[in-house]
């Protein structure tokens, strides 16, 4: 009864199933590992942020380039404040406002973007406090350059002079006349009249939409594997039923098969007998 499994058609089906199931399981396991890695990164980022508050600040040069292990660390740098810019469209505690961003020109020649604080309302250069004059030493949390369009960072262009939508070397290179570090610092203590900006987690370390997409893809791949198994058993069952019916001499009727002429008429009951009966009746004399 199961000899049909050796036919070329079923060889193809079986090979497809044997390849599809491990592939779906592998892809589901890989997506699950991606989700678990993001969970671990999120946990590590929280622990790092908590430990960074108690750790001593380190020189900026020791923490560059910024990566997952150095983002959120406390850094210190010395230099002179230069040009000041505003970063509009930033919320803090549910209120709209803007960052006051000042470039610190370090002794190494490069400038470090420093967020000195946050102010509520519409960006206004007249309301932003001027930076201290002379040489200063700043201490704050090191952050990686922002990417426009990610994590709430605006990708808006055409801003007024003296404003930028993102804090990154790529966004600031055309606004200031000096070389820039590919990083920025938010001060531990904001300058007078402003609110300190809290540090954010490093990229790809939070339980964001991408993390839950990985979890959703995990479920999809395992569902695909189960569907392949289900369809294989369904095809097998149907084939077995056909083989069993064939052994019993039961064959499915072909749709649209025409009936044989006269098959539905009984002998002697058709219209062919009527003329003879009429003729006999006509030859019988009337008395």
């Amino acid at each position: 009864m199961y000899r049909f499994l050796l036919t070329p058609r079923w060889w193809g089906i079986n090979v497809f199933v044997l390849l599809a199931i491990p592939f779906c399981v592998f892809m589901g396991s890989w997506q699950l590992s991606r989700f678990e890695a993001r969970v671990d990164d999120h946990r590590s980022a929280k622990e790092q942020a908590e430990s960074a508050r108690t750790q001593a600040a380190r020189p900026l040069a020791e923490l560059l380039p910024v990566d997952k292990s150095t983002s959120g660390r406390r850094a210190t740098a010395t230099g002179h404040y230069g040009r000041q810019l505003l970063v509009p469209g930033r919320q803090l505690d549910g209120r709209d406002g803007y960052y006051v961003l000042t470039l610190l020109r370090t002794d190494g020649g490069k400038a470090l973007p420093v967020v000195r604080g946050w102010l509520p309302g519409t960006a206004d250069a007249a309301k932003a406090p001027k930076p201290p004059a002379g040489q200063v030493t700043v201490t704050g949390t090191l952050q990686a350059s922002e990417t426009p369009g990610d994590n709430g960072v605006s990708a808006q262009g055409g801003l007024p002079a003296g404003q930028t939508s993102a804090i990154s070397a790529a966004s600031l290179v055309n606004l200031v006349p000096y070389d820039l570090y590919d990083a920025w610092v938010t001060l531990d203590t904001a300058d007078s009249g402003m609110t300190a900006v809290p540090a954010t987690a490093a990229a790809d370390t939070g339980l964001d939409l991408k993390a839950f997409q990985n979890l959703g893809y995990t479920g999809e791949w395992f569902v695909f594997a189960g569907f392949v198994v289900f369809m294989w058993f369904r095809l097998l069952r149907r084939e077995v039923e056909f083989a069993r019916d064939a052994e019993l001499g039961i064959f499915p009727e072909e749709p649209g098969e025409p009936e044989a002429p006269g098959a539905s008429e009984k002998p002697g009951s058709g219209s062919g007998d009527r003329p003879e009966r009429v003729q006999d009746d006509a030859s019988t004399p009337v008395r």
Side-chain angles (χ1 to χ4, degrees):
M1 183 178 296
Y2 292 94
R3 291 181 179 177
F4 60 84
L5 292 174
L6 300 178
T7 61
R9 173 172 171 266
W10 272 93
W11 268 107
I13 293 175
N14 292 335
V15 170
F16 171 78
V17 170
L18 291 176
L19 294 176
I21 292 176
F23 177 77
C24 292
V25 172
F26 168 77
M27 292 301 297
S29 301
W30 179 75
Q31 290 289 350
L32 182 60
S33 67
R34 293 288 299 165
F35 174 75
E36 292 175 344
R38 290 180 182 275
V39 172
D40 292 339
D41 287 342
H42 177 67
R43 187 181 298 112
S44 300
K46 288 183 64 177
E47 294 174 354
Q48 180 174 312
E50 293 175 357
S51 62
R53 298 190 186 100
T54 59
Q55 290 181 349
R58 296 168 57 186
L60 176 66
E62 297 180 6
L63 299 174
L64 296 177
V66 183
D67 54 21
K68 291 181 181 180
S69 62
T70 59
S71 179
R73 298 287 185 182
R74 296 179 68 240
T76 181
T78 302
H80 296 78
Y81 277 125
R83 181 153 182 204
Q84 182 162 285
L85 302 169
L86 304 180
V87 187
R90 299 304 176 102
Q91 289 189 340
L92 186 63
D93 297 332
R95 296 186 299 165
D96 293 331
Y98 56 97
Y99 293 167
V100 177
L101 177 70
T102 310
L103 281 301
L104 180 71
R105 300 188 64 181
T106 63
D107 297 336
K110 287 187 175 182
L112 173 68
V114 177
V115 174
R116 297 171 47 232
W118 175 89
L119 290 173
T122 305
D124 187 352
K127 297 180 181 179
K130 293 183 178 180
Q135 188 177 35
V136 295
T137 298
V138 299
T139 302
T141 306
L142 186 64
Q143 301 278 263
S145 291
E146 296 179 334
T147 302
D150 288 348
N151 299 324
V153 178
S154 174
Q156 178 183 0
L159 294 174
Q163 296 185 18
T164 180
S165 59
I167 308 174
S168 67
S171 300
L172 298 174
V173 67
N174 295 323
L175 301 179
V176 295
Y178 16 79
D179 294 335
L180 298 163
Y181 285 106
D182 192 17
W184 58 282
V185 167
T186 174
L187 295 183
D188 292 341
T189 304
D191 287 348
S192 177
M194 295 186 289
T195 304
V197 175
T200 59
D204 297 328
T205 59
L207 295 180
D208 52 7
L209 180 60
K210 292 182 180 179
F212 290 101
Q213 282 180 341
N214 292 131
L215 187 60
Y217 293 150
T218 299
E220 286 182 2
W221 282 111
F222 286 124
V223 168
F224 291 158
F227 180 74
V228 170
V229 175
F230 167 76
M231 289 303 300
W232 185 86
F233 274 107
R234 184 175 179 180
L235 292 174
L236 177 67
R237 181 180 177 183
R238 188 180 67 174
E239 200 77 20
V240 170
E241 290 176 352
F242 286 164
R244 187 176 299 155
D245 291 344
E247 290 180 356
L248 297 176
I250 303 174
F251 299 96
E253 295 183 359
E254 295 293 336
E257 181 178 352
E259 296 183 357
S264 61
E265 298 181 359
K266 296 181 180 179
S269 62
S271 60
D273 294 341
R274 294 184 63 186
E276 295 181 1
R277 293 177 60 187
V278 174
Q279 184 178 3
D280 290 345
D281 292 344
S283 62
T284 303
V286 178
R287 295 180 182 178

